[in-house]
Amino acid sequence: MRSKEKAHDYRYFPEPDLLPVHVSSAWRDEVLRSLPELPAAKRARFVSAYSITPYDAEVLTGSQELADYFEAVVKAGAPGKAAANWMQTELLRRLNDSGRESTQAL
């Protein structure tokens, strides 16, 4: 059995039975608008809006429920960094000690 060592050994052969897919820009824009905020964008927003560290933002965006709870705590008046510290130390520790995941309790 010979080995494939050159780029021409990996040629692309179009499938004759598959039709080309044409996506309109209007439909693409509609799909993009309907998507929820993605985790990377949410992490960046948490760091800039709430003055927390990237590590804190990574932990808090580990699940949608935890991120929503953090935003609710901050919206209720807690400072961002204090809320992040409390959630990472007290809340997650207590959830872990009780054997529940954050998504089950929030």
Side-chain angles (χ1 to χ4, degrees), residues 28-50:
R28 185 188 70 229
D29 293 341
E30 178 185 339
V31 169
L32 287 174
R33 278 193 306 274
S34 68
L35 286 175
E37 185 179 22
L38 297 177
K42 187 172 284 202
R43 283 190 293 271
R45 183 172 59 83
F46 279 11
V47 168
S48 65
Y50 303 123

Side-chain angles (χ1 to χ4, degrees), residues 41-61:
K42 187 172 284 202
R43 283 190 293 271
R45 183 172 59 83
F46 279 11
V47 168
S48 65
Y50 303 123
S51 301
I52 61 175
T53 65
Y55 174 78
D56 292 342
E58 179 78 29
V59 171
L60 295 172
T61 56

Side-chain angles (χ1 to χ4, degrees), residues 12-94:
Y12 170 73
F13 296 101
E15 176 63 43
D17 296 331
L18 296 178
L19 298 174
V21 176
H22 299 285
V23 177
S24 71
S25 61
W27 183 68
R28 185 188 70 229
D29 293 341
E30 178 185 339
V31 169
L32 287 174
R33 278 193 306 274
S34 68
L35 286 175
E37 185 179 22
L38 297 177
K42 187 172 284 202
R43 283 190 293 271
R45 183 172 59 83
F46 279 11
V47 168
S48 65
Y50 303 123
S51 301
I52 61 175
T53 65
Y55 174 78
D56 292 342
E58 179 78 29
V59 171
L60 295 172
T61 56
S63 72
Q64 181 68 39
E65 292 82 8
L66 194 60
D68 291 343
Y69 187 72
F70 171 72
E71 289 195 289
V73 169
V74 172
K75 188 176 181 180
K81 184 62 178 168
N85 288 343
W86 173 78
M87 287 181 67
Q88 291 180 69
T89 55
E90 294 299 320
L91 180 66
L92 292 178
R93 178 184 56 82
R94 290 182 188 211

